[in-house]
Structures are given as structure tokens and as C-alpha cells.
Amino acid sequence: MTKTGRNSPCPCGSGKKYKNCCLENTEALGLVNFKYDKYLEVRNKACGKVSGIGIEHLGIGESDPIFYLFEFLLRPVDLAEVRSQEDLDFFLNDLAFLFTIFGYPIFDLADFDGELDDFGFNPDSIEDNYLWRYCLTKHSQAFTSQEMQFLQSLNRAVAGFFKVRNILHAENKQHYPVIEAEDIFSGMVYKIMDKSLTHTLVKHDMFSGIIAPFDEDMHVMESCPPILYAMQDRGMLEELIKEYAQVYKSNYAHLFSKKDGLSKIFKLFPVIIYLVALDYFLIRITRKMPTMVNYDKEEIILVETVFRFEDRELIKKKLAAIKGISVSSDGKQTLLHWMNQKNTILASIIIKRKRLYVQTNSLERQQKWKEMVKDLPLEYVKTAYTDLEDLQARYVRSKKSGPEEKTNEPDPAMDQADLKRLATEWWQKYYDDWVDAKIPALGNRTPREAVKTSKGRKQVEALIDEFENFYLHAKKYHAHKNNFNQYFDPEELRKRLL
């Protein structure tokens, strides 16, 4: 790519010279990127030192913080019911590091002659109980001036639970994406810069942690437990939060007035954030959670099955002969749809080179497809699954490993104009059908009926937000271009109802 000259036409298309249009913004964004990279470098070194001081001077063991969290969980959990020990171990390891620095009461380990309360805190000075502040006051000589500035900025940090309202600049690679997030209790909106979060988050996702001031209108994520809270679990999440907050508010009533909201409780006791995160994670990993279903009331799981074959024309001919399958082709590749009598697409199939890619949205439909083609000369290669639990696990892993690596699998993409036309037509029919379909979550009413009341309208809005969130995740994790989900438009549902 060539660099735009100062006197060249501005790439934005305004007709002005670059120097008189977007140059200043571009330079400002470049400066923000530079400052953020330096911030991360300083932050990482400071956190490493804080952790080291905790180990060396206070004797904090690797598992001590996790034992503390398990001790103060409000409900017992049977770890034998955990579905994936690997995911649990990864989660606990990441959670322990963050909790040790930002929320673990350390006065039961420090040289402290006073009397501690039942939670391990020095009740006379709650805010001084945390490792980062202990390092700030007792071991300042171990840190550079920049690292000290970082630690001091935590005094002005905000702790809480947040919902993504938007991801700004996500398509512009010249600067880092920014999350616009709303505190779900105070309603305050913050702009948050965090590279690891933006690898995974989409609109309507909920997360928790501590955000520190970065500049006049920007914050950075400092302590984010490696978990996303599913939209459909918001009610349960809020109950968990209030339950834990009440425990600390009751035991430390002298610290709060009636006017103090949850934000002050989280600020003084960030342990609540970690207890909620652990409790919620254990619920998700030990219990069957509510699921989204398709028209056939089958759990929505995105499934892509890959087959290998030798004779392309033979496979096309045999597939076209199956009832309910329609075919279109651009010469290089072929797109097929398997549809039922109601014109609902049960599977989308791409034929490219000598591979057959079959996408369905439930395990039941995948199994029916396999039965239909069992006598065809197809050799099974692999199957990839994506459900809400898998999205959760991907997020946990992304906190350490960063964005997913690209594979060497060929992209079975068809012509985008054809795909968009077919997908848009299908989704338009889906929107028309959905608004008049009876939905159990709405009391077996249709969305069109439900929006006639204030309560029903809120329920419909929440359902549409859930759909949007689900398909945004599906789009993010199924980036190859033959995926219909990329053309789902929640605004079409809103226009029909709200």
C-alpha cells in the first residue's frame, strides 16, 4: 500500500487535500496506538513485579487465591460434575493471577499485628488490603516512575459489570478497536481500549472487571475475569451479583450509606467480581443451560461437515436428484440448498474442488443429512461444531492466546453476489415468518402480539438482541464467506415490530 501524501486527495472521498481533512485524525490515532502499546508494556512489567513481590514477601502460593474464592462461594459445587477439567483449570489459572493482584485480601499474610475480620481484611483500612496497593506503599522502590504512574492510576479505576453497546472502528486496521460499554447498574458509558477483548466481544456481550483511566475520554481494561456472561443469563447474573454484594454490604454496613450504589461496593470489594465470575462459570460448566432452538425445536449448534469425493459432476447429479435440494453454480463452485416443504433451509452445501462442505444449525439436521447421502460416493473428512459453550471456551482461551490462527483449509467461498442474493431472500422470509410465530419465551404469543404491551415489547427487544448477539458470534467464528449468518440483519426484525 502506498502512503497518502499531504497534498494528495483525502482517501475518505471528501475532495479535500489529505492535510486539510483526515491527516490530523490519522496522526492522533497513531499517537493513541503508540501510547497504548507503551502502556501495555509498562502494565505487564508492573503486574509481573507485583505478583513477584506477593510471592517473595508475602508467601502467596499459586493456589491460595483460588482456595479463598472457593471458601467464600455462597453455594456448594460438586466438581465431579464439571464437563471439562481442562477448561476449568485454564479458567482458574487465569482468574487466580488477576485476583491475586487486584482483589485478594493480603493482610492475613503481611506483617500485621492487628485483628483481622472473618474475610481476612484489616477492617480499619479496607482499600489497603490489596496487593497492588501494598506494593505502591511498601515497595515503591521496585518500580520505575512509569510503573508507579500505572499503579497510581488504579486509585481512579472503576470496577463493575458491563454490556457492550458498540465496537467502534472495528473495520479500520489503522488503529485499535474501542469498546463502547455500559455499566449495567449505574448506566455510565465508557470507551474501553483492549486488544484481547475486541478479538472476541460482539454487541450485547457482558463482561466484568476493573477499568482504569487512559486519557481524557478513554479507559483500559485492567482486570477482566476470562468469562463472558450470556445475554439470556442476565437475570441470573444480576441475582448472583446482588447476592454477593449484599453479603459484603451487610458485614461492612458502616462503610456505606443508603445512597451508595453497587459501584462503590465493587470498588471497595473487587472480590465480588471474582466470586460472581467463578460461581457463574461453575454453573455454566456443571449444568445444562437454556438453549436457542430452530423452527423444529432443535438446539441451535452450528455444524459444518466436510466430505471428499473424486467425481464432481457425478456428485452434483446425485445430489440434485434428492428431493428438496436446489442447485446453483458459477462454474468454479456449486451452492446447493436442502429445503423442507415449508421452504426452510435445512442445510447449505458448497461444492468446491473435490470437497463438499455441509452447514446445518442442529445435530439432528446433520444426522438426517448423513442418512440421506450415506449411499453416495463421499468420504467423510471432519466435522466442526460451534455452540454457546464452545464460544465461551474460545473466549477463555483467547485471553491468553490472542486471536485464532488461520488454518490452511481452502476457503470454500462462492460468488458473494449470488450468496448475498440467496441469503437475503431467505432471511427476508425468515423475518416475515418469525414476527407471526408463537414463541414460548413470550408466553406462546407471537412477537407482533407481544409488542402491544410494555412488558411484551421489552421481551421482544431482548429476544432480538439475543439473536443479534448469537449471529454476530457465529459470523465472527465462521468467517469463511459462504456462511448465511453474515447476512442476518436484526434491524429488519426491529423495523417490523418496534
Side-chain angles (χ1 to χ4, degrees), residues 340-351:
N340 63 15
Q341 293 179 343
K342 298 179 180 179
N343 289 325
T344 298
I345 295 180
L346 304 178
S348 296
I349 307 108
I350 291 284
I351 297 177

Side-chain angles (χ1 to χ4, degrees), residues 351-398:
I351 297 177
K352 187 173 182 181
R353 300 185 182 94
K354 292 189 176 182
R355 294 281 180 111
L356 186 75
Y357 301 82
V358 183
Q359 294 180 335
T360 62
N361 67 1
S362 74
L363 297 178
E364 290 83 358
R365 289 178 180 177
Q366 179 212 31
Q367 192 57 41
K368 290 175 185 176
W369 168 263
K370 285 184 175 181
E371 286 296 318
M372 282 175 51
V373 300
K374 64 182 180 181
D375 295 327
L376 271 59
L378 295 170
E379 178 185 349
Y380 172 79
V381 177
K382 65 177 182 178
T383 300
Y385 304 92
T386 302
D387 58 14
L388 292 177
E389 295 292 340
D390 186 36
L391 294 177
Q392 174 71 35
R394 286 173 189 249
Y395 172 68
V396 171
R397 293 190 175 94
S398 75

Side-chain angles (χ1 to χ4, degrees), residues 204 231 292 434-435 447 451 457-471 488-498:
H204 306 303
M231 277 197 64
M292 295 180 67
W434 187 80
V435 297
V451 295
R457 187 182 182 87
K458 290 180 180 178
Q459 291 175 323
V460 170
E461 288 175 344
L463 272 180
I464 295 175
D465 286 350
E466 282 186 30
F467 284 154
E468 182 174 25
N469 180 258
F470 179 84
Y471 284 109
F488 173 75
D489 184 0
E491 292 305 320
E492 289 292 330
L493 289 177
R494 294 185 178 108
K495 280 191 285 187
R496 284 163 169 78
L497 293 166
L498 305 175

Side-chain angles (χ1 to χ4, degrees), residues 176-195:
Y176 295 130
V178 172
I179 300 163
E180 188 179 64
E182 178 182 345
D183 186 311
I184 65 174
F185 293 105
S186 72
M188 293 290 292
V189 177
Y190 302 92
K191 290 182 179 178
I192 305 171
M193 186 176 284
D194 187 286
K195 288 193 288 188

Side-chain angles (χ1 to χ4, degrees), residues 432-455:
D432 291 338
D433 291 344
W434 187 80
V435 297
D436 291 311
K438 291 185 177 181
I439 298 176
L442 299 176
N444 213 32
R445 293 176 298 168
T446 70
R448 198 186 300 277
E449 293 169 339
V451 295
K452 294 178 180 179
T453 67
S454 176
K455 181 180 178 180

Side-chain angles (χ1 to χ4, degrees), residues 1 5 74 110 126 182 262 298 316 332 393 401 424 481:
M1 296 177 65
L74 291 179
I126 295 296
E182 178 182 345
L262 289 174
E298 301 160 344
K316 280 177 57 177
K332 296 180 181 179
S401 60
T424 301
K481 298 176 183 177

